[in-house]
Each structure stands twice: as structure tokens, then as C-alpha cells.
Amino acid sequence: GAVVSQHPSRVICKSGTSVKIECRSLDFQATTMFWYRQFPKKSLMLMATSNEGSKATYEQGVEKDKFLINHASLTLSTLTVTSAHPEDSSFYICSALGSSGANVLTFGAGSRLTVL
Amino acid sequence: QQQVKQSPQSLIVQKGGISIINCAYENTAFDYFPWYQQFPGKGPALLIAIRPDVSEKKEGRFTISFNKSAKQFSLHIMDSQPGDSATYFCAATPGGGGNKLTFGTGTQLKVEL
């Protein structure tokens, strides 16, 4: 079945630094990837939609300069949290939609970001 | 209009019992309704999904019931097991599933021995 890998699974950084999270589709090509943020015991909130070769579409209220998304290839999308602050601490999850037309989203295992 | 309301927030069921989680939506453009299971520290995994052209879909111990006129759908877990203890999210999307999902608020299920 389709597999989406996220790296790193956990990251701790100092306030003011930038952190990059990778989302890879391992056995399929993903034309579209979605990035979500999840707070403890809360639902998933969509941050942005990432299409290969084009600029990401951000949801209302999400700072595009804060959360940089790059989808440079059909198997890789990255989320960079720039100048991270403690309030950016969260669980970030990506999902990928295959180009085969199956219309099934596959989620990564998530990345836990802790900003000190 | 984009919200998906989910209840209950938490649920405790005895082993072997039936777990029932309910969701309601407003947007009539939604035409794909998946349920996801999430374990702590992991991403959601697709459990089962339904389209509005059927009223029920069953896969093993998991059944989705769908009421199009009431704009409600529910997940039934038969013979609930301790390994089913997880957070369950309903979701909805237009366009057959290839678009962004709108998630419910989640239900924490605990199955006790």
C-alpha cells in the first residue's frame, strides 16, 4: 500500500531557529500534499495545500512567511518553520494524494516539534 | 458550512460491546466521508469511507451508516477490543476524496476489559 514517510519524527529546537520537516511518498508519486497541525487532544487543522512545481495554497490565518512549504518533486514536500517560537510547538502531519487517480489520502506518522 | 460536528468527545466501552460515534455536516457539496483512526504520536490511518450513494458500508467489525437527508453519518465498531482504543476522526470532502479534508473534532475511545 501507499506509504508516506515524515522526518524527523521528533525535533527540539531553540527559539529563533528554523526547522525543516520532510514528507516523502515512498512508493507513489504525489501530485498534492497537505500539511496539518494538531494540538494535543485536538483535531487536525489544515495549514496548506502543496502542489508539485507550484506555490502552496495557505489556509486563512496561516502565515506563509512563517511556514514555508516547498514541493519540488513528486515525492517530496518540505515544511520549514522559520524563526520558531514556543507557540509553534505542535504535532505537524502531512498527507499525500497519489497521481494514479485513486483519490485516497495517505498520512505520514507526524513530526513533534518542541520549541524551547 | 465547512464544519463537521462529531460526538461524543470521549467514549468508554466494555470489551465486546458496540462503540458508536456520530458526525453531522452542513455542506451539501461533501461527497466523500472517511473515518480515521489515530494512535498517540502517530498520524491518522484510513479506517473506512463511504460515499452518499449508499446508506451503509461494512468492513469487518467496522460499519458506517449514512443518512443523506439528515446529513449525518456514524461509525459502529462491533465487538470492540482493547486494541481499538484510539482517537477516531470523521471527515468530509467534496470532489470524491481528492480534495482537502474537513475533520471532525475527534472521539477518544477506550475499550476496557
Side-chain angles (χ1 to χ4, degrees):
Chain A
V3 177
V4 173
S5 173
Q6 256 184 267
H7 179 80
S9 58
R10 290 177 182 271
V11 56
I12 301 173
C13 70
K14 292 182 179 180
S15 188
T17 61
S18 294
V19 174
K20 180 184 285 187
I21 300 170
E22 293 186 346
C23 179
R24 293 182 184 271
S25 55
L26 297 186
D27 49 1
F28 67 101
Q29 293 184 325
T31 51
T32 303
M33 288 186 175
F34 301 92
W35 286 95
Y36 294 85
R37 182 173 183 177
Q38 186 178 32
F39 291 103
K41 297 188 179 182
K42 296 294 183 184
S43 189
L44 286 79
M45 300 303 295
L46 180 67
M47 298 174 67
T49 302
S50 166
N51 291 297
E52 186 266 338
S54 62
K55 290 184 178 180
T57 302
Y58 290 81
E59 295 299 300
Q60 190 173 8
V62 178
E63 299 176 61
K64 61 179 68 177
D65 295 329
K66 174 76 171 176
F67 299 100
L68 299 179
I69 292 172
N70 184 283
H71 193 160
S73 77
L74 284 171
T75 59
L76 174 65
S77 176
T78 59
L79 167 67
T80 301
V81 183
T82 62
S83 187
H85 290 282
E87 58 265 30
D88 298 325
S89 299
S90 192
F91 194 51
Y92 293 89
I93 308 172
C94 72
S95 67
L97 179 65
S99 58
S100 64
N103 277 351
V104 175
L105 287 175
T106 302
F107 283 83
S111 300
R112 171 76 58 195
L113 170 63
T114 302
V115 185
L116 302 176
Chain B
Q1 262 235 337
Q2 292 295 323
Q3 283 186 333
V4 177
K5 296 180 181 179
Q6 183 171 346
S7 63
Q9 187 175 6
S10 62
L11 181 62
I12 299 175
V13 173
Q14 296 298 308
K15 181 183 175 209
I18 302 174
S19 303
I20 302 174
I21 304 171
N22 301 299
C23 284
Y25 64 98
E26 291 293 327
N27 189 347
T28 54
F30 289 149
D31 63 0
Y32 179 73
F33 303 89
W35 283 88
Y36 288 86
Q37 180 188 57
Q38 185 180 30
F39 293 104
K42 301 294 182 182
L46 179 64
L47 199 58
I48 187 172
I50 197 169
R51 298 187 191 279
D53 52 343
V54 295
S55 60
E56 186 175 281
K57 183 174 181 181
K58 184 176 180 180
E59 289 184 2
R61 296 185 294 112
F62 302 95
T63 300
I64 300 178
S65 296
F66 187 84
N67 186 329
K68 188 174 181 179
S69 61
K71 290 186 282 187
Q72 295 175 347
F73 58 111
S74 59
L75 175 69
H76 296 231
I77 305 175
M78 308 298 183
D79 188 26
S80 299
Q81 299 296 313
D84 297 330
S85 297
T87 300
Y88 292 81
F89 292 97
C90 62
T93 181
N99 293 321
K100 57 187 180 183
L101 292 165
T102 299
F103 282 89
T105 49
T107 297
Q108 282 193 291
L109 170 66
K110 183 177 181 181
V111 181
E112 294 183 335
L113 294 170

